[in-house]
Amino acid sequence: MDCTTTGDGDFYGLGVRLGLYLQWAAGFCLRNSSGSWKMISTVRTTNNALCGAIVLAVVINTARGTALSTDYLIVYYLTVALFYSESYNLLTKGEREGWGEKSYYVLEPDVPLLVQNLLFAFNHLFGAWFWIRGLHHTQPTTCPPKAALLGPFDLYDKHWMKFAATAAIIGGINFLIFFAIHLYAFWNRSLAGGPVTKVAYVLSDCCGPSIPPVDIVRELLRPGFRSDLNELWDKVKMGDASSLQTTVGIFLAQSGLLIHFALVNLVGPVIAIVSVERMLHANHLTTPRILDSSGQMIALLTGATSLIAALWELGKGFFGIGRNSETDLLALQLYQSRKLLDSHDIKVNSQKLSEENATAG
């Protein structure tokens, strides 16, 4: 029996999938490099537009009863599971000296992040309704539909549907909490009109080594190993890297951190991508070619543009161009200010940053 089913190319056609995968790669590069925070905000805004349009279309089609039974889960993987590690900032710039004095800038929540939190919360809460009632109002595939969590299984399995509904409710509550926390931080910035704040911790010797709670959360959810890698790049550029042993030694020394990094940044996207491709194959879903679908071409070109911009930022960081934290912070403040800043405003804000540096020092 021929089980081929024609799916919606604007939801999960090859162009849409590749575009979203490139969007994820762009965000991943920017979060884990010295790229500017302005570019992070821009890529997140673009991603919100793409994912929001896809989710809204799926919701409308499901309400009308024209969506396939497999559409929502595929779109969920592409728009939420793929990007879950972008749902919070916890990004810093500056110097961190061991367990002694630490001084760095923290990227505060902005409007694109708040919109993303709401989009994720809405997706989950709609998903709870979908798994409880909505699935029974969708169109069936030619053969019995298959879900996938790395491997395919029956979409109508009762245990799966209960699990999916419960997970959707928990996920919706989680992202609503994220939204509330980020909204509070958004309206209580220490540097008025700007998306950054200066954080300085001085740990006295008499207190012994300790870690502030905010740092514990940051290290858990934003693990990084850039300092040693940046030192390696500097040695390579200056011709001081002894041999391959230098590289191997760095990675072996941070093997635990690499595993932590992969769990936070890579496990979800890998599960999402593999599950999407397995679902498409298991359900024999076909979509129009990229050139026959304007939606696919837009998504692909958008993703490619975002990745090119991210790679440009990486290139600047590699060659030491634009690594000044204060310059980046002022550029982002200009980009996101609620009002048009004149030369006086820029001078005042620059002086604030300088005073904070002096105070922290």
Side-chain angles (χ1 to χ4, degrees), residues 36-48:
S36 74
W37 286 344
K38 172 185 174 182
M39 187 59 67
I40 291 176
S41 181
T42 302
V43 169
R44 181 178 278 137
T45 301
T46 304
N47 188 53
N48 287 344

Side-chain angles (χ1 to χ4, degrees), residues 244-324:
L244 182 62
Q245 295 176 353
T246 305
T247 307
V248 174
I250 289 177
F251 280 98
L252 287 179
Q254 298 210 22
S255 57
L257 191 55
L258 285 171
I259 295 174
H260 183 193
F261 179 86
L263 288 174
V264 172
N265 293 282
L266 301 177
V267 171
V270 168
I271 292 175
I273 293 172
V274 172
S275 298
V276 165
E277 301 302 327
R278 292 297 300 273
M279 280 190 68
L280 293 174
H281 181 266
N283 292 286
H284 302 275
L285 291 171
T286 63
T287 56
R289 298 182 306 169
I290 296 176
L291 296 179
D292 295 334
S293 170
S294 58
Q296 292 190 63
M297 288 190 289
I298 291 173
L300 181 57
L301 290 174
T302 302
T305 302
S306 295
L307 182 58
I308 290 172
L311 292 176
W312 174 253
E313 291 289 331
L314 279 176
K316 292 197 299 183
F318 180 82
F319 292 105
I321 302 174
R323 279 188 171 179
N324 184 287

Side-chain angles (χ1 to χ4, degrees), residues 19-254:
L20 291 173
Y21 297 161
L22 293 176
Q23 280 288 138
W24 171 82
F28 174 81
C29 291
L30 290 170
R31 291 194 312 275
N32 297 285
S33 72
S34 57
S36 74
W37 286 344
K38 172 185 174 182
M39 187 59 67
I40 291 176
S41 181
T42 302
V43 169
R44 181 178 278 137
T45 301
T46 304
N47 188 53
N48 287 344
L50 279 176
C51 294
I54 295 172
V55 170
L56 181 60
V58 169
V59 170
I60 293 174
N61 284 6
T62 302
R64 291 175 175 173
T66 59
L68 291 174
S69 56
T70 54
D71 283 356
Y72 170 74
L73 183 56
I74 294 176
V75 167
Y76 173 82
Y77 281 134
L78 290 174
T79 58
V80 176
L82 187 63
F83 298 102
Y84 78 91
S85 60
E86 289 196 16
S87 58
Y88 51 89
N89 280 334
L90 296 180
L91 299 171
T92 62
K93 287 192 176 187
E95 298 299 326
R96 306 186 63 175
E97 300 294 341
W99 296 113
E101 182 177 348
K102 300 186 296 182
S103 175
Y104 52 90
Y105 292 97
V106 177
L107 176 60
E108 292 286 359
D110 55 6
V111 172
L113 181 62
L114 295 174
V115 171
Q116 187 181 58
N117 289 160
L118 283 179
L119 177 63
F120 284 11
F122 170 78
N123 198 320
H124 278 90
L125 296 177
F126 173 79
W129 171 84
F130 176 83
W131 293 115
I132 295 172
R133 297 188 58 183
L135 179 59
H136 303 290
H137 300 288
T138 57
Q139 298 297 316
T141 53
T142 305
C143 291
K146 300 290 184 181
L149 190 60
L150 294 179
F153 53 88
D154 181 16
L155 181 69
Y156 289 104
D157 181 82
K158 292 183 178 180
H159 297 292
W160 159 252
M161 293 177 65
K162 290 180 180 178
F163 167 79
T166 303
I169 294 172
I170 294 174
I173 295 174
N174 176 70
F175 284 110
L176 285 176
I177 293 174
F178 273 27
F179 173 76
I181 294 173
H182 289 150
L183 183 63
Y184 176 82
F186 179 79
W187 289 113
N188 290 276
R189 296 171 180 158
S190 61
L191 187 61
V196 296
T197 183
K198 180 72 173 183
V199 179
Y201 295 113
V202 179
L203 309 178
S204 70
D205 295 333
C206 63
C207 296
S210 60
I211 310 176
V214 68
D215 274 9
I216 297 176
V217 175
R218 184 173 295 112
E219 293 299 328
L220 285 175
L221 298 180
R222 278 281 178 255
F225 43 89
R226 291 176 298 176
S227 58
D228 285 349
L229 292 181
N230 285 336
E231 292 177 8
L232 174 61
W233 304 146
D234 292 339
K235 289 181 179 179
V236 171
K237 287 184 292 181
M238 298 178 62
D240 294 337
S242 57
S243 64
L244 182 62
Q245 295 176 353
T246 305
T247 307
V248 174
I250 289 177
F251 280 98
L252 287 179
Q254 298 210 22

